[in-house]
Amino acid sequence: MQLVEPLLEIPEDTASGVTAEIYEDIRRTLALRNVNLIYRHFATLEQALPAVWLLVRPYFIDKKISAAATKIKPLLSTNIDAAAFPGEFPYDEKLKDQVANVLDFYLSANPMNLIALEILTIALESAGEDLSSNTGLLPIGELESRVESTKFVSENEGNMFLVSQGMSQVRPTLLRQLEEWPQFLAAVSPLIKRMCLSDSLFSLVENIRNNAKESAVDIFTRGEVSMPESSLKSVANFCGYFPKILIRMTIIAAALRRSL
């Protein structure tokens, strides 16, 4: 399966002007070294990134998002990854630390950005946007059928299809980064596939999503999202499906971290 139209984004190393300034503010405010795909994608939509960051930034500044994120982290464990890693880590300790650092970044960033997305969702719904549909996310039965019947260009493209629950244009940055360590990626691919096709994962995603929504409701006070209508519709559509993908990717990251 060839991915023809990956989700548009402005990479950090090519950002300029206001986008580069906001990226720098995101890194500084979240105290993280990279900018999540959420913001890199919104940067491609007219006036979306400034509007979204203006809305959620105060909740990062007052530490309410980080406090809510700490409640999510304990929920990332699941019993379906027990004894998942086949043998010893296939690299030396230096490379093991590099992989661990990548995973730790996502385990720090994703819970916070999930809460931010849920706050954005509340603001969009308050403005009358409909986010009730998860259009494009495949149920477990259809997801398994599609994976078995599709010839992917690489095993990791299949992983991405699984983690994104069938949203083939979403190529999770974590899995792209892990391609730097092909032996590790090959070793954990069976774990990723098993988890993504597990009823337990689907249930855990719902549990974490509900927790994040409750936290966002408690945090949100007021705020509007002002951008062109076309951008508003695209952002609303993104918020309809991406939180579940973000959660799935984070659960996978937690399982891979435990496997080291």
Side-chain angles (χ1 to χ4, degrees):
M1 177 179 180
Q2 181 67 48
L3 299 181
V4 178
E5 297 180 357
L7 195 69
L8 293 177
E9 60 178 283
I10 295 181
E12 293 178 71
D13 59 358
T14 63
S16 61
V18 173
T19 297
E21 292 174 5
I22 294 176
Y23 282 2
E24 177 56 32
D25 194 34
I26 290 171
R27 289 189 289 266
R28 182 171 54 250
T29 302
L30 274 66
L32 293 170
R33 65 181 182 274
N34 293 116
V35 174
N36 190 274
L37 176 60
I38 295 167
Y39 308 107
R40 302 197 313 267
H41 173 59
F42 287 165
T44 68
L45 306 173
E46 185 182 1
Q47 299 179 29
L49 178 61
V52 170
W53 185 236
L54 181 66
L55 171 73
V56 301
R57 186 181 189 273
Y59 300 106
F60 281 110
I61 294 294
D62 66 14
K63 306 299 182 184
K64 289 182 179 178
I65 284 180
S66 58
T70 62
K71 300 176 184 178
I72 290 175
K73 292 177 182 179
L75 302 177
L76 294 172
S77 62
T78 175
N79 61 6
I80 61 175
D81 63 307
F85 193 79
E88 297 296 320
F89 184 79
Y91 299 102
D92 59 27
E93 287 300 312
K94 180 179 179 181
L95 288 176
K96 183 175 180 178
D97 287 343
Q98 290 176 2
V99 173
N101 287 337
V102 168
L103 296 172
D104 287 342
F105 165 77
Y106 288 97
L107 292 173
S108 295
N110 285 5
M112 289 192 291
N113 286 316
L114 173 62
I115 300 296
L117 269 183
E118 296 297 350
I119 290 172
L120 173 59
T121 295
I122 293 172
L124 291 169
E125 289 175 336
S126 298
E129 295 297 325
D130 181 10
L131 288 84
S132 61
S133 174
N134 290 316
T135 303
L137 293 180
L138 300 178
I140 188 169
E142 188 174 349
L143 182 64
E144 184 171 16
S145 176
R146 289 277 296 274
V147 167
E148 295 301 324
S149 64
T150 301
K151 184 175 178 59
F152 294 95
V153 296
S154 69
E155 186 173 26
N156 201 36
E157 294 292 348
N159 292 340
M160 293 182 190
F161 185 83
L162 283 168
V163 174
S164 64
Q165 203 175 332
M167 295 290 288
S168 58
Q169 75 270 30
V170 179
R171 305 181 74 249
T173 309
L174 169 61
L175 294 185
R176 284 186 268 166
Q177 285 190 270
L178 290 181
E179 288 178 341
E180 184 175 346
W181 302 282
Q183 287 178 257
F184 174 72
L185 194 55
V188 299
S189 284
L191 162 64
I192 294 173
K193 183 174 182 178
R194 185 167 69 252
M195 290 185 70
C196 286
L197 295 177
S198 165
D199 286 324
S200 298
L201 182 70
F202 278 72
S203 298
L204 185 58
V205 168
E206 292 297 334
N207 183 26
I208 293 174
R209 181 84 193 273
N210 289 335
N211 182 285
K213 286 181 177 180
E214 291 173 3
S215 293
V217 168
D218 290 340
I219 291 171
F220 183 77
T221 52
R222 57 191 293 268
E224 298 180 355
V225 185
S226 178
M227 65 184 77
E229 185 66 20
S230 60
S231 296
L232 194 64
K233 295 296 183 185
S234 294
V235 169
N237 180 59
F238 183 89
C239 289
Y241 66 81
F242 197 79
K244 287 190 175 183
I245 296 176
L246 186 70
I247 296 169
R248 289 166 70 87
M249 184 169 66
T250 311
I251 296 170
I252 296 296
L256 297 184
R257 187 65 177 90
R258 288 191 294 273
S259 76
L260 297 180

